[in-house]
Amino acid sequence: MCRTERIADEPMEPKKISKMLLKRLPLYLSYLKTLPEQIRHISATKIAEALDLGDVLVRKDLAKVSDGGRKKLGYLRDELIRDIEEFLDVNRTVSAVVVGAGKLGQALLDYEGFRRSGLEILAGFDAAPSVRKTVADKPICAMDALEGFCRDHEIAIGIITVPADQAQTVCDRLVGCGIGAIWNFSPAHLNVPEQIVLQNENLAVSVTALKMQLKTR
Amino acid sequence: MCRTERIADEPMEPKKISKMLLKRLPLYLSYLKTLPEQIRHISATKIAEALDLGDVLVRKDLAKVSDGGRKKLGYLRDELIRDIEEFLDVNRTVSAVVVGAGKLGQALLDYEGFRRSGLEILAGFDAAPSVRKTVADKPICAMDALEGFCRDHEIAIGIITVPADQAQTVCDRLVGCGIGAIWNFSPAHLNVPEQIVLQNENLAVSVTALKMQLKTR
DNA sequence: TAGATTGTTAATCGATTAACAATC
DNA sequence: TAGATTGTTAATCGATTAACAATC
């Protein structure tokens, strides 16, 4: 087996971090932050109960990001918060643009909460930018300004909120600008080069799945 | 083993439908609908290639919802569309309300595309309904009208777009109205009775996970 | 001490993929 | 026929859970 025959000075492969873990850690973080000030210690079991998860699962997750676990006591809350924040690198801010300044695009431009996650949306772009000049003090620009803006501001994430039939074109242009990730709110399937991170937020898919669970329970 | 000792006249357990399947079927459907008119046949392999999925996976998915598969030919496109639509019951419309008429709530009220998924949002509710009287011809009502409205219109889905600190309260009221599912866009973890379907659309979680993939690739 | 907790190893579960038989 | 395809059975993979040892 490859694993047992590993050459000694080959670097250890880093602990694998799954997407599932990445989705749970922010939940732990927001739960920990809602706890009353006077609570100093918190156990994996308590977190698991509060969030309807298995206790072993939470324990393993926490062990991946912190070594502050004390038998019988659990974790020091503030230390655990720091460790998760450090792991998730919430203080590193990345820049984004929204393409498509319809209602949804405007809502994302307007949402204050992203800053707490380390996302800063700098501008919106739209084929008809005349409807609004700014949203939440952020400029709504014409599409032909996209490439220049992305390069000048080192945009890392392109957020797509245009209709499905324009999504691939917009996606290609964003990739051409050198962005590293696409956050796709359109219902279209997008083709991206493999080094680009693609995350789909397809509300039509979500609602259909929700309806089905409603029906078949 | 339980399975082998099953009493003969006990009803067969229905084929299990996983959440993953429910999220892929709408993707197949929208892909099939974008195909040019003249294409009459389509194979699982082609769909898999177009959507970056495994071919066996698609084949198994399709077999669960249609028996129209013909060796060497694949599926008749129109028949497959009908079979998937029937399985997903897209023609059954369910009614919903949005609680929280901020930018995001308004965007959801305004989005035409939900009708194609069989979701009809009838009204919005807000603690300060005075800001807007209607969005997309749908009324924005005061919170104290929530219970009456939900009962009168047999609302099945409650969509939550209020800030995190009000989400649980709103959720409890919706559950009290007899809705069957909560679609939660707030970043709060919600406690619901087990018979209520809960789907979280936590954008803070999404963006954090996206940032991490960006970093660690 | 006894109990609560962590953290590890093994088992289970579910979803995906591989292999392959069937056949139009 | 040969090739493209479906559909099934077995294998693999990854994530979760169970069992349990350690210990403060």
Side-chain angles (χ1 to χ4, degrees), chain A residues 13-212:
Chain A
E13 47 193 316
K15 273 176 196 168
K16 249 191 299 194
I17 51 172
S18 74
K19 278 191 189 176
M20 294 287 89
L21 173 62
L22 292 182
K23 289 188 172 180
R24 285 190 298 265
L25 287 174
L27 298 179
Y28 302 159
L29 199 50
S30 72
Y31 170 69
L32 291 169
K33 287 182 170 178
T34 63
L35 288 173
E37 274 295 325
Q38 63 267 28
I39 292 187
R40 302 178 55 85
H41 289 91
I42 184 78
S43 72
T45 316
K46 287 269 170 53
I47 298 175
E49 265 170 33
L51 300 178
D52 301 315
L53 298 168
D55 60 338
V56 186
L57 181 59
V58 176
R59 205 166 291 124
K60 283 194 168 183
D61 285 350
L62 297 186
K64 286 204 179 88
V65 302
S66 174
D67 60 356
R70 300 278 173 273
K71 289 174 209 282
K72 191 165 178 179
L73 290 171
Y75 290 79
L76 271 169
R77 186 190 57 155
D78 291 345
E79 190 184 325
L80 184 54
I81 289 177
R82 273 199 308 277
D83 286 341
I84 297 177
E85 285 185 335
E86 190 181 342
F87 185 87
L88 292 177
D89 210 358
V90 291
N91 291 322
R92 184 185 65 134
T93 296
V94 301
S95 298
V97 294
V98 172
V99 183
K103 284 267 170 64
L104 180 57
Q106 290 182 35
L108 297 177
L109 281 162
D110 187 60
Y111 183 52
E112 294 287 328
F114 286 142
R115 198 166 301 159
R116 256 169 293 151
S117 307
L119 180 78
E120 188 168 20
I121 305 180
L122 296 184
F125 292 84
D126 201 286
S130 47
V131 266
R132 300 199 61 160
K133 290 271 183 283
T134 64
V135 170
D137 292 331
K138 295 161 188 170
I140 307 296
C141 312
M143 283 303 290
D144 55 17
L146 181 64
E147 279 78 6
F149 189 94
C150 288
R151 293 235 163 75
D152 290 351
H153 295 83
E154 293 188 341
I155 299 299
I157 299 179
I159 306 174
I160 297 182
T161 54
V162 298
D165 58 356
Q166 296 157 47
Q168 184 65 59
T169 307
V170 165
C171 176
D172 292 343
R173 284 183 67 175
L174 284 165
V175 170
C177 296
I179 56 95
I182 295 281
W183 199 9
N184 176 33
F185 285 80
S186 90
H189 172 84
L190 297 179
N191 293 109
V192 294
E194 65 171 339
Q195 80 274 13
I196 303 291
V197 179
L198 171 64
Q199 187 157 285
N200 293 300
E201 219 73 50
N202 191 326
L203 296 185
V205 166
S206 287
V207 78
T208 306
L210 185 61
K211 265 183 63 191
M212 285 298 287

Side-chain angles (χ1 to χ4, degrees), chain B residues 29 32 40-42 65-70 74-86:
Chain B
L29 199 51
L32 291 169
R40 301 177 57 83
H41 289 91
I42 183 78
V65 303
S66 175
D67 58 358
R70 300 278 174 273
Y75 291 79
L76 271 169
R77 186 191 54 159
D78 291 346
E79 189 183 326
L80 185 53
I81 288 177
R82 274 199 307 277
D83 286 342
I84 297 177
E85 285 185 336
E86 190 183 340

Side-chain angles (χ1 to χ4, degrees), chain A residues 108 111 114 183 185 201, chain B residues 104 185 201-208:
Chain A
L108 297 177
Y111 183 52
F114 286 142
W183 199 9
F185 285 80
E201 219 73 50
Chain B
L104 180 57
F185 284 81
E201 219 73 48
N202 190 327
L203 296 185
V205 166
S206 288
V207 78
T208 306

Side-chain angles (χ1 to χ4, degrees), chain B residues 7-216:
Chain B
I7 290 53
D9 52 13
E10 189 181 337
M12 278 299 288
E13 46 192 317
K15 273 176 195 167
K16 248 188 302 191
I17 51 173
S18 73
K19 278 192 190 174
M20 294 287 87
L21 172 63
L22 293 181
K23 289 189 171 180
R24 284 190 300 264
L25 287 175
L27 298 180
Y28 302 160
L29 199 51
S30 73
Y31 170 70
L32 291 169
K33 287 182 170 178
T34 64
L35 287 174
E37 274 296 325
Q38 64 267 29
I39 292 185
R40 301 177 57 83
H41 289 91
I42 183 78
S43 71
T45 317
K46 287 271 170 51
I47 298 175
E49 266 170 31
L51 300 178
D52 301 316
L53 298 168
D55 60 337
V56 186
L57 181 59
V58 176
R59 203 165 293 124
K60 283 194 166 181
D61 285 351
L62 297 186
K64 287 203 178 91
V65 303
S66 175
D67 58 358
R70 300 278 174 273
K71 289 174 209 281
K72 190 166 178 180
L73 291 170
Y75 291 79
L76 271 169
R77 186 191 54 159
D78 291 346
E79 189 183 326
L80 185 53
I81 288 177
R82 274 199 307 277
D83 286 342
I84 297 177
E85 285 185 336
E86 190 183 340
F87 184 89
L88 292 177
D89 210 359
V90 292
N91 291 322
R92 183 185 65 134
T93 296
V94 302
S95 299
V97 294
V98 172
V99 183
K103 284 266 169 63
L104 180 57
Q106 291 183 35
L108 296 177
L109 280 162
D110 186 59
Y111 182 52
E112 294 288 327
F114 285 141
R115 200 167 299 159
R116 258 169 293 153
S117 307
L119 181 78
E120 189 168 20
I121 305 178
L122 296 185
F125 292 84
D126 202 287
S130 47
V131 264
R132 300 200 60 162
K133 290 271 183 283
T134 64
V135 169
D137 293 331
K138 295 159 187 171
I140 307 295
C141 313
M143 283 303 291
D144 54 19
L146 181 64
E147 279 77 8
F149 189 95
C150 288
R151 294 236 162 74
D152 289 350
H153 294 83
E154 293 189 341
I155 299 298
I157 299 179
I159 306 174
I160 297 182
T161 52
V162 298
D165 58 356
Q166 297 157 48
Q168 185 64 58
T169 307
V170 166
C171 176
D172 293 342
R173 286 183 65 177
L174 284 165
V175 169
C177 296
I179 56 96
I182 295 281
W183 199 9
N184 175 34
F185 284 81
S186 90
H189 173 85
L190 297 179
N191 293 109
V192 294
E194 62 171 341
Q195 79 274 14
I196 303 291
V197 179
L198 171 64
Q199 186 158 286
N200 294 299
E201 219 73 48
N202 190 327
L203 296 185
V205 166
S206 288
V207 78
T208 306
L210 186 61
K211 264 183 63 189
M212 284 299 285
Q213 292 172 70
L214 196 56
K215 180 192 177 192
T216 58

